[in-house]
């Protein structure tokens, strides 16, 4: 059974850092791109970014709104994707979702989603 | 990149068909065959309904279909059922190598 499970969320002060983890199972993790999305309370979905598989360079793309502060990486040996979040702002408060992406280079649709992890940025 | 435009709400009666539109520009929806649709029930994670404009993942009902014309993509739900009541989001690849979402559409089954 395919599963992705996010962890690492919590309450953090503005300006601080947090790292989210996404542990995957039930599929060959290294063969897939992985994406991160977020959803602020009561708001719509927002794409955060994705990381290609090593076969496609393992490179990343990030939304302009988070570029330079939020960074996606992966460790294929552990089947984990990470979202490093630096210089956090109150507007980063959201549920963060990790997903498996059907696409390779450009991304496509995300067919498996985690349950999400809540990040609250507040003093 | 500006968000894609979706109607805030649509409604329909059981058994009917409804269509949700998603309008972008030639830099996103109109420029690529990379449009996805998601369904989200309250308090739940989104579920992929359609990807690459019109492809359905395994396990998704064939009552859901996607299409695109110019800068507008559409999701059609046929044979509306009570459990279809949810929020629906479209998403498109953009010329900036990013993905952009629509604001979401709340479907009410009357």
């Amino acid at each position: 059974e395919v599963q992705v499970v996010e962890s690492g969320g919590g309450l953090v002060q503005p300006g601080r850092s947090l790292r989210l983890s996404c542990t995957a199972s039930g599929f060959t993790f290294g063969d897939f791109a992985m994406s991160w999305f977020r959803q602020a309370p009561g708001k719509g979905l927002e794409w955060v970014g994705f990381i290609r598989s090593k076969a496609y360079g393992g490179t990343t793309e990030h939304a302009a709104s988070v570029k330079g502060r939020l960074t996606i990486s992966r460790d294929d040996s552990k089947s984990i994707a990470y979202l490093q979040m630096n210089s956090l702002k109150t507007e980063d408060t959201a549920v963060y979702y990790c997903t498996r992406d059907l696409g390779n280079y450009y991304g496509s649709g995300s067919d498996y989603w985690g349950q999400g992890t809540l990040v609250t940025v507040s003093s | 990149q500006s968000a894609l435009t979706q109607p805030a709400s649509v409604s329909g009666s059981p058994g009917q068909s409804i269509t949700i539109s998603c309008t972008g520009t030639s830099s996103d929806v109109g420029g690529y065959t990379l449009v996805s649709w998601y369904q989200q029930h309250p308090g739940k994670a989104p579920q992929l309904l359609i990807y690459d404009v019109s492809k359905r993942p395994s396990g998704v009902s064939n009552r859901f279909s996607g299409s695109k014309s110019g800068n507008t993509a559409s999701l059609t739900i046929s044979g509306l059922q009570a459990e279809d009541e949810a929020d629906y989001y479209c998403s498109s690849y953009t010329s900036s190598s990013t993905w952009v979402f629509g604001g979401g559409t709340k479907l009410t089954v009357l």
Side-chain angles (χ1 to χ4, degrees):
Chain A
E1 180 193 5
V2 172
Q3 281 193 312
V4 290
V5 179
E6 304 92 344
S7 60
L11 175 64
V12 61
Q13 293 179 327
R16 304 297 289 265
S17 297
L18 200 64
R19 188 178 78 163
L20 305 183
S21 298
C22 168
T23 304
S25 60
F27 64 99
T28 305
F29 181 78
D31 288 348
F32 287 84
M34 299 295 291
S35 295
W36 284 92
F37 299 83
R38 67 183 181 182
Q39 188 168 33
K43 302 297 185 182
L45 293 170
E46 180 183 11
W47 179 82
V48 172
F50 82 108
I51 185 165
R52 300 177 177 92
S53 66
K54 288 292 193 292
Y56 288 83
T59 50
T60 58
E61 304 290 351
H62 296 84
S65 59
V66 306
K67 208 166 187 178
R69 297 189 305 113
L70 275 57
T71 304
I72 298 170
S73 61
R74 64 189 297 157
D75 184 338
D76 289 353
S77 69
K78 297 180 180 178
S79 297
I80 298 178
Y82 299 100
L83 179 62
Q84 178 67 43
M85 310 172 70
N86 298 330
S87 303
L88 281 162
K89 305 176 181 181
T90 55
E91 52 262 42
D92 294 319
T93 294
V95 173
Y96 285 75
Y97 293 102
C98 171
T99 74
R100 187 180 82 166
D101 201 299
L102 286 174
N104 291 313
Y105 190 85
Y106 299 103
S108 181
S110 287
D111 62 344
Y112 285 93
W113 293 63
Q115 80 289 352
T117 187
L118 176 63
V119 174
T120 303
V121 184
S122 175
S123 54
Chain B
Q1 197 77 26
S2 300
L4 306 176
T5 300
Q6 297 181 232
S9 63
V10 297
S11 62
S13 300
Q16 286 186 330
S17 293
I18 64 96
T19 296
I20 299 172
S21 61
C22 171
T23 301
T25 69
S26 58
S27 294
D28 38 64
V29 174
Y32 306 92
T33 56
L34 294 170
V35 175
S36 305
W37 289 91
Y38 297 91
Q39 176 192 64
Q40 187 178 33
H41 288 105
K44 301 291 188 182
Q47 177 192 356
L48 179 66
L49 296 176
I50 298 289
Y51 67 102
D52 294 355
V53 175
S54 59
K55 296 178 182 177
R56 251 188 332 269
S58 62
V60 172
S61 170
N62 59 9
R63 297 188 299 107
F64 296 94
S65 63
S67 63
K68 189 186 82 163
S69 177
N71 296 337
T72 298
S74 299
L75 172 71
T76 298
I77 308 175
S78 59
L80 209 56
Q81 299 177 1
E83 57 261 38
D84 297 333
E85 187 160 294
D87 293 327
Y88 292 82
Y89 294 91
C90 64
S91 182
S92 172
Y93 185 75
T94 81
S95 58
S96 300
S97 301
T98 61
W99 285 74
V100 63
F101 273 92
T105 299
K106 182 176 180 58
L107 169 62
T108 301
V109 180
L110 302 170

